[in-house]
Amino acid sequence: MKFLKLLIFLSVRFINRATTQRYRQDTKSNIFIINCTETHVSSLLHCTALSRESKDVTFFFDNQKKRCRWNCLFQYDMDAVFPGWQCYEMEWKTNAALNKRPLVSSVYNNNTSNWSPDFATDGVISIQDVQIFHSHWEPTPWIMVDLVNMSKISFVRVFVRIDTGGKRFHDVIYEISNNTSTYEQFGFFRGPAVSGQVVEICCGSPDLGQYVRLRVTQGSDNSLNIAELEIFSV
Ligand SMILES: *[C@@H]1O[C@H](CO)[C@@H](O)[C@H](O)[C@H]1NC(C)=O
Ligand SMILES: *[C@@H]1O[C@H](CO)[C@@H](O)[C@H](O)[C@H]1NC(C)=O
Ligand SMILES: *[C@@H]1O[C@H](CO)[C@@H](O)[C@H](O)[C@H]1NC(C)=O
Ligand SMILES: *[C@@H]1O[C@H](CO)[C@@H](O)[C@H](O)[C@H]1NC(C)=O
Ligand SMILES: *[C@@H]1O[C@H](CO)[C@@H](O)[C@H](O)[C@H]1NC(C)=O
Ligand SMILES: *[C@@H]1O[C@H](CO)[C@@H](O)[C@H](O)[C@H]1NC(C)=O
């Protein structure tokens, strides 16, 4: 019986390694939890399965009480301290977006000194209405990052504008491409977000690509407002 369990455990790990993203224990800073779904689970593996099913990048596990917090919403907070749960995050190697120069559909009032797309990838989270990327009002605003080299791309994390206007971030398609002519949809965030929400959007399994694009797809009067965009490769 023990042997069988071990065999099942090993094969689950093997399958996961081959086809999907793995998680590792981690810490998070500057983020607090708005809410999660909390359930009793049999094991960490069970908690991981729930989180993977809901395409979560981050989940929490209390090993003593065997409780799982998944399907969580997060918000930016410089002073946030995480509770004493074990935090797990999808494995990643680098934030491939950092200091790349994104292309965008438009810049609000054409004013790049206030709202350049570069503010989305400068590694600085502005809490103001400036030094963020802010598009015009248009039907389908988008931001695209050329990672320069082909990368194995996993999830993205978006720090939605903090001071106001969070609900502008809704119905966002996350997609990747090798050549900018054909994009593969990789994830979707319905939202709407709240101001300062930290939105993690994921995928089934990581895939190779060079170009990563986020675009708003519903409604006609939209504006993309992003304090920071991180793109994680494995
Ligand atoms: C979390 O909060 C959001 C926004 O207030 C709400 O729509 C959602 O139902 C809540 N989820 C849970 C699991 O409580
Ligand atoms: C921004 O620049 C574009 C292209 O030069 C121009 O068509 C548009 O009218 C400008 N918009 C504003 C608000 O200045
Ligand atoms: C951008 O906006 C700022 C502040 O609103 C203003 O001082 C500056 O002149 C504007 N720059 C351009 C190029 O319009
Ligand atoms: C792209 O790949 C080349 C060659 O391997 C390397 O020299 C360069 O640093 C890479 N650029 C980025 C932005 O990763
Ligand atoms: C990009 O090309 C590689 C093969 O070179 C392929 O494995 C991958 O799925 C392609 N990515 C996309 C988004 O089409
Ligand atoms: C772009 O890449 C996709 C996926 O790799 C491929 O199916 C498509 O034919 C490519 N298009 C061009 C114009 O190269």
Side-chain angles (χ1 to χ4, degrees):
M1 191 58 194
K2 267 210 169 120
F3 177 70
L4 190 66
K5 268 192 181 161
L6 182 69
L7 203 67
I8 291 169
F9 177 72
L10 285 177
S11 49
V12 165
R13 276 183 62 103
F14 178 75
I15 290 164
N16 286 344
R17 187 170 309 182
T19 60
T20 59
Q21 183 75 74
R22 295 177 353 123
Y23 293 83
R24 65 173 173 223
Q25 205 175 337
D26 218 324
T27 53
K28 269 183 142 62
S29 51
N30 300 344
I31 290 176
F32 84 82
I33 304 172
I34 298 174
N35 65 22
C36 303
T37 304
E38 189 172 325
T39 1
H40 184 81
V41 290
S42 55
S43 63
L44 174 60
L45 205 61
H46 184 187
C47 190
T48 309
L50 288 174
S51 307
R52 183 173 281 130
E53 181 69 25
S54 98
K55 301 194 185 231
D56 296 342
V57 169
T58 305
F59 70 89
F60 303 88
F61 180 59
D62 181 333
N63 190 35
Q64 238 109 55
K65 299 190 179 122
K66 296 280 182 286
R67 296 197 71 82
C68 183
R69 283 184 180 172
W70 52 289
N71 189 29
C72 300
L73 300 184
F74 301 100
Q75 201 162 16
Y76 179 73
D77 180 348
M78 260 188 298
D79 304 319
V81 182
F82 259 62
W85 292 54
Q86 289 160 23
C87 173
Y88 290 83
E89 190 177 77
M90 274 185 180
E91 284 186 355
W92 54 273
K93 274 208 195 95
T94 44
N95 168 15
L98 188 64
N99 296 323
K100 301 284 192 305
R101 311 204 63 181
L103 287 180
V104 292
S105 51
S106 65
V107 173
Y108 189 58
N109 283 345
N110 293 340
N111 189 326
T112 50
S113 54
N114 283 351
W115 298 298
S116 165
D118 296 348
F119 290 127
T121 51
D122 61 358
V124 179
I125 297 160
S126 168
I127 60 171
Q128 299 173 275
D129 60 350
V130 292
Q131 289 168 0
I132 60 172
F133 163 59
H134 185 336
S135 78
H136 274 320
W137 291 92
E138 54 177 316
T140 310
W142 53 264
I143 180 168
M144 189 273 270
V145 183
D146 177 356
L147 303 177
V148 181
N149 290 328
M150 192 93 106
S151 307
K152 199 163 190 191
I153 299 163
S154 177
F155 64 95
V156 291
R157 182 182 294 135
V158 179
F159 292 79
V160 173
R161 177 175 175 170
I162 292 166
D163 63 315
T164 186
K167 66 174 192 291
R168 295 171 190 172
F169 196 83
H170 65 90
D171 299 294
V172 175
I173 286 183
Y174 161 36
E175 53 198 353
I176 73 171
S177 172
N178 281 333
N179 52 28
T180 71
S181 55
T182 319
Y183 279 86
E184 176 198 331
Q185 183 170 335
F186 222 41
F188 180 70
F189 173 77
R190 186 171 306 282
V194 295
S195 300
Q197 189 166 337
V198 181
V199 178
E200 296 173 326
I201 315 176
C202 195
C203 49
S205 53
D207 194 9
L208 286 171
Q210 185 180 334
Y211 306 92
V212 177
R213 185 168 73 178
L214 295 182
R215 73 193 159 92
V216 182
T217 55
Q218 295 289 313
S220 52
D221 204 17
N222 292 313
S223 175
L224 204 46
N225 294 221
I226 293 178
E228 191 69 15
L229 166 62
E230 300 173 333
I231 300 168
F232 293 95
S233 62
V234 294

